[in-house]
Amino acid sequence: MRIVFLGPPGAGKGTQAETLSREKKLSHISSGNLLREAVENGTETGRKAQQHINKGQLVPDKIVVDIIRERIVKNDCKNGFILDGFPRTLSQAIVLDEMLKNLGNKLDMVFYFAISKESIVLRLSGRRICATCGANYHIKYVPSLEDGICDKCGGKLYQRTDDKLETVLERIKVYHEQTEDLINYYKKNGILKEIESESNVESITENILKVIDNASKSASFVNLGVV
Ligand SMILES: [Zn+2]
């Protein structure tokens, strides 16, 4: 099963991808990590990506897709994968589809994590990180015992620039502008599944699993019909 996770920052894609990859034995491919690894390992495509990064340019879609292709032909992707963080634009989706087609594959499902702006702001702007050990906190959901101090090491907690309110609002705006066409594209292809992401982590996981199980049931029903 080949899946893409789409959704604004703070929608909880990463957490859900980890759980789903365990439950369904799929590889979790985070495009950000993948790019970093390719650059660190100095693969040919990694070196190409590095040249753009050095010049302060975005890595072209074609190179990112080449790096994804190198990753998904590996053995641990035989059962499928969850692609998280890519594509983010319509043109990236088209390049991805072409690459999969060349491999004789296609995407089975695209999950869109729908969440209100207010919830994203609440989730992201409440995050705090320990400057010493990197532990994660949230002023509402995972507060430290003492305000601004890490429970584990006593280090100072800080807020990432990315998580400041103005930055969060800007990230949400950019995200929606970039992905509107992308979402319509997958909707037209009939593979978009919208997941309501306001509720707790467990019930979101349950909903995702339900969608996947229903899809495989109807797929085997279709197969029976053909036989
Ligand atoms: Zn700490």
Side-chain angles (χ1 to χ4, degrees):
M1 187 165 294
R2 286 165 290 268
I3 296 173
V4 163
F5 272 10
L6 284 183
K13 294 188 302 290
T15 312
Q16 294 300 333
E18 275 169 33
T19 312
L20 188 62
S21 74
R22 269 200 313 274
E23 291 277 334
K24 293 286 175 189
K25 310 231 171 340
L26 305 169
S27 283
H28 174 198
I29 304 176
S30 144
S31 61
N33 292 344
L34 194 64
L35 195 58
R36 262 193 300 279
E37 275 166 28
V39 169
E40 274 167 22
N41 296 338
T43 61
E44 199 191 324
T45 41
R47 282 200 304 272
K48 280 188 203 161
Q50 178 81 65
Q51 289 170 6
H52 292 276
I53 294 168
N54 288 347
K55 286 183 214 153
Q57 300 165 339
L58 283 176
V59 179
D61 296 344
K62 181 74 180 61
I63 295 178
V64 179
V65 167
D66 280 345
I67 293 173
I68 293 171
R69 190 185 57 220
E70 284 170 7
R71 180 68 190 81
I72 65 175
V73 295
K74 287 191 178 155
N75 246 340
D76 65 332
C77 288
K78 250 189 202 156
N79 204 26
F81 57 80
I82 304 161
L83 196 52
D84 167 17
F86 190 94
R88 289 192 75 153
T89 62
L90 176 59
S91 54
Q92 289 177 344
I94 292 168
V95 185
L96 177 68
D97 275 353
E98 273 168 16
M99 180 270 278
L100 288 171
K101 202 175 161 194
N102 288 337
L103 292 173
N105 287 333
K106 64 175 178 54
L107 291 176
D108 296 299
M109 264 177 225
V110 174
F111 284 96
Y112 176 64
F113 291 74
I115 182 168
S116 71
K117 189 159 90 179
E118 291 70 26
S119 302
I120 298 174
V121 167
L122 192 63
R123 285 185 192 183
L124 294 188
S125 61
R127 294 204 295 203
R128 296 293 182 273
I129 299 163
C130 172
T132 310
C133 75
N136 287 290
Y137 295 89
H138 191 284
I139 51 172
K140 183 157 185 270
Y141 306 119
V142 199
S144 56
L145 294 172
E146 201 180 329
D147 207 19
I149 304 289
C150 178
D151 294 347
K152 290 173 186 140
C153 75
K156 264 197 182 154
L157 303 185
Y158 75 99
Q159 184 179 37
R160 276 175 37 187
T161 320
D162 258 13
D163 290 341
K164 298 225 159 98
L165 182 61
E166 321 78 86
T167 321
V168 169
L169 291 175
E170 182 60 23
R171 282 165 75 196
I172 299 171
K173 189 170 149 255
V174 169
Y175 183 82
H176 286 299
E177 280 167 6
Q178 278 185 337
T179 49
E180 203 182 340
D181 293 344
L182 178 65
I183 289 163
N184 287 332
Y185 173 74
Y186 287 132
K187 213 181 262 177
K188 253 186 244 154
N189 290 353
I191 57 172
L192 190 81
K193 315 280 176 191
E194 191 166 315
I195 294 288
E196 178 275 303
S197 310
E198 302 284 345
S199 40
N200 63 52
V201 173
E202 290 77 22
S203 54
I204 297 171
T205 306
E206 217 172 280
N207 285 337
I208 295 173
L209 290 172
K210 226 181 269 170
V211 170
I212 292 179
D213 290 342
N214 283 342
S216 28
K217 262 183 228 152
S218 56
S220 51
F221 185 71
V222 171
N223 285 341
L224 281 175
V226 172
V227 173

